Amino acid sequence: MAYVELHNINKHFKKFHASKDINISIEKGKLVALLGPSGSGKTTILRMIAGLEQPDSGEIIIDGKVVNNVPGSERGIGFVFQNYALFRYMTVYDNIAFGLRVKKIPEDQIKERVTELLNLINCQGLEKRFPSQLSGGQRQRVAFARALAPNPKILLLDEPFAAIDAKVRLELRTWLREMITKLNITSVFVTHDQDEAIEVADEIIVTNQGRVEQSGTPQELYKNPLTPFVAQFIGNSV
Ligand code: ADP
């Protein structure tokens, strides 16, 4: 059953048509890649799902409910921003606790949750460090923990592996896959890297010039590309 749906979504930035008649359906528990070249409209789609941008027309539906008028903070979404965007002057503990403090959760419950998340991301003992004192991989894990802290139903990630060196990237892809399966959370990540999408995602949504070209499993896209763009874009990676 579809958990996140976009129906006929259009979005302009002034005269620029950034999202053109977007139709997307994402099933619960799936890990989905939004894959396309730079400027093809991936981040705009992610930001509209999160409520960080409003579409000009069309519907965004989460769990069967139209959420166009629901504030992002009430959509049950965790967001991992490009380059993590951790708060530089806050410790790891305070970064992870941030979203819980916004919700006015009592400090003793926050402590319990942060400890649980530090275990999940394998960063026990790092809670007093600042982001500058962490490795790239640790920073990324802390950004995941911050996004996961309020127990979102949907995790959105903008280029989650882009700023990480190749060796750690492989390890983190596997880790992300396992974590998302374990938490049974619905996830969408943005990438321009075909190999990454094919290796990590259950399903891939291919974007080009503001449109969705095709969506399906990596195998479907590879075996049965519906447009020359998909054939070339996916075909080149294998
Ligand atoms: P991608 O994530 O695929 O690189 P984006 O969704 O970030 O693409 O951007 C798609 C297009 O929309 C780009 O040409 C970008 O310049 C434009 N765009 C995105 N956000 C804005 C904005 N806030 N104001 C003006 N133009 C924007």
Side-chain angles (χ1 to χ4, degrees), residues 13 16 18 37-44 53:
F13 293 108
F16 183 75
S38 182
S40 61
K42 308 178 294 291
T43 300
T44 304
E53 297 282 359

Side-chain angles (χ1 to χ4, degrees), residues 9-23:
I9 290 288
N10 282 279
K11 172 76 183 169
H12 292 80
F13 293 108
K14 301 221 171 83
K15 283 189 180 153
F16 183 75
H17 202 171
S19 302
K20 300 172 184 161
D21 296 322
I22 302 284
N23 285 289

Side-chain angles (χ1 to χ4, degrees), residues 3-6 24-27 29-35 42-43 45-47 49-50 77-81 144 153-161 176 180 185-191 200-205 207:
Y3 192 67
V4 180
E5 293 168 90
L6 271 64
I24 287 175
S25 178
I26 296 167
E27 280 175 42
K30 293 276 189 220
L31 175 54
V32 175
L34 272 170
L35 170 70
K42 308 178 294 291
T43 300
I45 294 174
L46 207 66
R47 289 175 64 85
I49 298 172
I77 286 173
F79 203 104
V80 177
F81 293 91
F144 286 155
K153 301 270 194 305
I154 302 164
L155 184 63
L156 305 177
L157 310 110
D158 195 358
E159 297 271 8
F161 309 104
L176 177 70
I180 281 166
I185 200 167
T186 307
S187 302
V188 185
F189 70 101
V190 160
T191 182
V200 180
D202 299 315
E203 291 203 11
I204 301 176
I205 297 167
T207 57

Side-chain angles (χ1 to χ4, degrees), residues 213-216 220-232:
E213 290 267 337
Q214 187 175 352
S215 53
E220 280 164 1
L221 296 184
Y222 181 61
K223 286 193 182 144
N224 188 22
L226 296 180
T227 68
F229 178 84
V230 174
Q232 203 200 15

Side-chain angles (χ1 to χ4, degrees), residues 127-156:
E127 54 268 41
K128 292 200 176 114
R129 291 210 191 163
F130 289 89
S132 61
Q133 298 169 309
L134 302 174
S135 70
Q138 287 167 339
R139 262 178 234 161
Q140 192 205 39
R141 286 168 191 244
V142 172
F144 286 155
R146 182 177 64 179
L148 289 173
N151 265 320
K153 301 270 194 305
I154 302 164
L155 184 63
L156 305 177

Side-chain angles (χ1 to χ4, degrees), residues 24-232:
I24 287 175
S25 178
I26 296 167
E27 280 175 42
K28 200 173 170 73
K30 293 276 189 220
L31 175 54
V32 175
L34 272 170
L35 170 70
S38 182
S40 61
K42 308 178 294 291
T43 300
T44 304
I45 294 174
L46 207 66
R47 289 175 64 85
M48 288 192 288
I49 298 172
L52 297 168
E53 297 282 359
Q54 277 296 333
D56 302 330
S57 61
E59 285 181 333
I60 298 172
I61 300 168
I62 296 178
D63 201 11
K65 190 175 152 213
V66 178
V67 297
N68 290 47
N69 294 322
V70 176
S73 56
E74 289 166 30
R75 293 186 188 183
I77 286 173
F79 203 104
V80 177
F81 293 91
Q82 208 165 8
N83 301 321
Y84 330 127
L86 290 173
F87 302 116
R88 287 167 60 198
Y89 301 108
M90 284 189 198
T91 60
V92 165
Y93 185 101
D94 289 338
N95 264 283
I96 299 175
F98 184 81
L100 302 172
R101 291 195 173 123
V102 169
K103 288 185 184 251
K104 308 238 185 306
I105 309 268
E107 276 302 319
D108 55 334
Q109 286 177 34
I110 291 181
K111 191 168 178 207
E112 216 171 284
R113 181 76 180 132
V114 174
T115 306
E116 192 185 348
L117 285 159
L118 285 166
N119 287 334
L120 182 79
I121 63 167
N122 245 327
C123 286
Q124 300 94 327
L126 301 183
E127 54 268 41
K128 292 200 176 114
R129 291 210 191 163
F130 289 89
S132 61
Q133 298 169 309
L134 302 174
S135 70
Q138 287 167 339
R139 262 178 234 161
Q140 192 205 39
R141 286 168 191 244
V142 172
F144 286 155
R146 182 177 64 179
L148 289 173
N151 265 320
K153 301 270 194 305
I154 302 164
L155 184 63
L156 305 177
L157 310 110
D158 195 358
E159 297 271 8
F161 309 104
I164 299 201
D165 62 78
K167 259 192 303 183
V168 185
R169 198 181 301 158
L170 201 64
E171 185 190 313
L172 278 166
R173 283 181 192 165
T174 312
W175 177 79
L176 177 70
R177 210 358 331 143
E178 285 171 4
M179 188 187 67
I180 281 166
T181 308
K182 187 161 135 189
L183 298 172
N184 191 27
I185 200 167
T186 307
S187 302
V188 185
F189 70 101
V190 160
T191 182
H192 58 262
D193 181 334
Q194 299 95 321
D195 293 337
E196 188 166 284
I198 288 167
E199 280 168 33
V200 180
D202 299 315
E203 291 203 11
I204 301 176
I205 297 167
V206 182
T207 57
N208 180 32
Q209 297 186 349
R211 293 189 190 282
V212 170
E213 290 267 337
Q214 187 175 352
S215 53
T217 63
Q219 292 81 353
E220 280 164 1
L221 296 184
Y222 181 61
K223 286 193 182 144
N224 188 22
L226 296 180
T227 68
F229 178 84
V230 174
Q232 203 200 15

